[in-house]
Amino acid sequence: MDYPLLYIQTPPPARRIEEESTSIYVKKETVPSLIMHQLRYFSRQTNKDRQLYFQLKNGEHLVGTIEKLNGEEVLVSALEQKIWLAAESISYISTK
């Protein structure tokens, strides 16, 4: 009787996948440390009345004061209205 020189075991039959995942994960843009440092500094009690110039990544700009900092969101008081901004939408901050 002749035996094969090399015996290869056949793989088990492939499992059928009944459901396919259609989830899309978007990587959150990180906030530059300089922006976060500036937001923390300008949100201090002694700097509440300082007018700041916020240049946003979409090309718009905003002039106002920081009312509150909540994680990566900032409440800006501008033109007698309060606006919540996401820190990742800020391109740079300067003093007016």
Side-chain angles (χ1 to χ4, degrees):
M1 181 191 267
D2 292 333
Y3 292 103
L5 297 176
L6 180 64
Y7 179 75
I8 300 174
Q9 187 177 14
T10 58
R15 227 176 5 137
R16 284 189 51 167
I17 300 174
E18 300 296 327
E19 295 181 21
E20 290 186 18
S21 174
T22 57
S23 301
I24 298 174
Y25 296 97
V26 178
K27 185 177 178 183
K28 185 178 178 185
E29 191 173 327
T30 60
V31 179
S33 60
L34 175 64
I35 297 292
M36 288 308 297
H37 177 71
Q38 287 178 321
L39 288 175
R40 283 192 293 274
Y41 176 77
F42 289 126
S43 66
R44 291 181 186 169
Q45 193 67 25
T46 58
N47 297 316
K48 286 285 187 192
D49 296 327
R50 182 180 284 181
Q51 291 288 314
L52 301 172
Y53 179 86
F54 296 90
Q55 179 65 44
L56 305 179
K57 290 184 179 177
N58 64 3
E60 296 178 13
H61 68 273
L62 187 64
V63 177
T65 59
I66 295 177
E67 293 287 321
K68 185 179 182 181
L69 182 63
N70 186 11
E72 292 186 356
E73 292 187 342
V74 61
L75 180 63
V76 177
S77 177
L79 299 173
E80 299 194 12
Q81 55 181 320
K82 297 183 189 238
I83 303 167
W84 280 101
L85 288 177
E88 64 259 7
S89 69
I90 300 172
S91 180
Y92 68 88
I93 304 170
S94 65
T95 57
K96 184 76 175 150

